[in-house]
Amino acid sequence: MRAAEKVIITTAVTGSVHVPSQSPYLPLTAEQVARAAVESAEAGSAVVHLHARRPDGQPTFEPEVFERIIAWITARTDAVINITTGGSPAMTMEQRLAGAVRVRPELASMNMGSMNFVYSGMADRVTDWKHDWERPHVLMSYSRPFINTFDAIEHALRTLGESGTRFEYECYDIGHLYSLAHFVERGLAKPPLLIQGVFGVLGGIGADHENLDHMVRIADKLFGDDYSFSAFAAGRDQMRFGTHSALLGGHVRVGLEDSLWIGRGRLAESNAQQVRKIRSLVEELDLPIATPADARAMLALRGATDIDRSTVS
């Protein structure tokens, strides 16, 4: 991998997995998501990864919601905007792409395959549901896989790539690295790559530190130094895996999409709180933190443009 001269912190602000009944601090409305993103950038995050929700917290694909979020962020910070193409398993591929197609971000996430993506166990830990949609949303993950076929990946790479969007390739298992290599060989995924190793999701690779080492070894074998690596683990292993990734020469991701916690038995009160913690851990390793400008240079991003701003005005 390309060893990081500076460590990029990505903050995944809200996601589509957690539900309001799990934490009062989960950003829901467009303004809450935008504020959380700006606070994270101010705390040291160079990249903000965005999903959209309705005011009751239900995941949505509506481009207008993404527009409101991004207009608020870009008026206050120069953080790199990373839009999801994962959405939720209940969305079609066109729905999942709708926000990114409309706003043409510098960076978009790309899940590198279909998989069982199971978070139904959350239902056992919630005793008071705030909204009728929450429990069915959580339980459906046990019977409905997340679908990202090769033709869907190719369609997304072509559709978003035409506007200069580059990709954060989310790899939930070793096989996803080989899937990415297939698209590199065909010229659809273009180096320098940003590979996001995802650990601890039921249905994907486990949150064992040996797996993180192994994923980097295989990525080195497949891509040499044509890639940058970042890693996160869902839930309680979030900070440990971020620190491990930084020690390997990679980047880190935190945020309430991935973990609602700041420590054992303590809910994080904001995304920025998690950013400050991982920043402190990284700086204790004598590693500098990347600015948005640093991240753009390292990841070969096109930079924020007037065209981007015109789509959200």
Side-chain angles (χ1 to χ4, degrees), residues 293-306:
D294 294 327
R296 289 185 172 99
M298 285 187 279
L299 303 178
L301 303 180
R302 66 164 189 261
T305 68
D306 292 337

Side-chain angles (χ1 to χ4, degrees), residues 4-9 44 46 246 250-252 278-279 281-291 294 298:
E5 296 178 5
K6 298 181 179 180
V7 176
I8 298 169
I9 300 174
H251 305 289
V252 303
I278 194 64
R279 177 174 184 164
L281 291 169
V282 170
E283 289 179 334
E284 283 295 318
L285 301 174
D286 288 329
L287 297 171
I289 303 300
T291 66
D294 294 327
M298 285 187 279

Side-chain angles (χ1 to χ4, degrees), residues 36 50 82 123 128 142 154-155 183 194 231 233 258 280 292 301 303 306:
L50 303 174
N82 176 350
D128 183 19
Y142 198 76
E154 178 173 343
H155 172 64
F183 288 103
L194 172 58
D258 306 326
S280 175
L301 303 180
D306 292 337

Side-chain angles (χ1 to χ4, degrees), residues 206-274:
D208 295 309
H209 288 273
E210 294 88 347
N211 287 336
L212 175 50
D213 292 332
H214 182 52
M215 184 173 280
V216 170
R217 282 195 299 270
I218 298 300
D220 284 345
K221 174 183 175 181
L222 294 173
F223 308 113
D225 63 355
D226 276 344
Y227 81 101
S228 296
F229 189 79
S230 179
F232 73 91
R236 63 188 177 189
D237 293 302
Q238 182 189 58
M239 296 296 167
R240 295 189 187 100
F241 267 69
T243 304
H244 189 171
S245 180
L247 282 168
L248 292 175
H251 305 289
V252 303
R253 171 170 142 170
V254 294
L256 297 184
E257 172 174 348
D258 306 326
S259 174
L260 296 174
W261 306 93
I262 193 64
R264 184 182 296 273
R266 293 186 293 135
L267 286 171
E269 296 183 10
S270 69
N271 283 275
Q273 185 183 19
Q274 292 184 344

Side-chain angles (χ1 to χ4, degrees), residues 15-18 52-54 56-61 87-88 91 133 137:
S16 63
V17 171
H18 292 122
R53 293 178 183 258
R54 297 173 183 165
D56 68 352
Q58 192 166 5
T60 185
F61 59 85
S88 86
M91 299 175 188
W133 67 267
H137 167 78

Side-chain angles (χ1 to χ4, degrees), residues 20-21 28 55-57 129-136:
S21 295
L28 305 177
D56 68 352
W129 299 95
K130 295 181 183 296
H131 304 287
D132 291 341
W133 67 267
E134 293 178 291
R135 191 168 186 272

Side-chain angles (χ1 to χ4, degrees), residues 168-182:
E168 169 213 355
Y169 298 99
E170 296 193 343
C171 295
Y172 292 76
D173 219 328
I174 298 300
H176 288 173
L177 294 174
Y178 286 90
S179 297
L180 176 56
H182 165 82

Side-chain angles (χ1 to χ4, degrees), residues 79-149:
V80 175
I81 303 292
N82 176 350
I83 298 294
T84 181
T85 68
S88 86
M91 299 175 188
T92 68
M93 190 62 189
E94 292 307 316
Q95 289 172 335
R96 286 160 44 198
L97 290 179
V101 167
R102 177 75 66 87
V103 303
R104 291 175 288 174
E106 294 180 75
L107 196 60
S109 65
M110 181 59 58
N111 295 51
M112 289 312 300
S114 302
M115 61 178 293
N116 289 313
F117 192 112
V118 182
Y119 45 92
S120 57
M122 292 177 182
D124 298 333
R125 298 187 290 276
V126 176
T127 57
D128 183 19
W129 299 95
K130 295 181 183 296
H131 304 287
D132 291 341
W133 67 267
E134 293 178 291
R135 191 168 186 272
H137 167 78
V138 169
L139 293 177
M140 67 126 183
S141 68
Y142 198 76
S143 57
R144 178 182 290 178
F146 176 82
I147 302 298
N148 231 30
T149 60

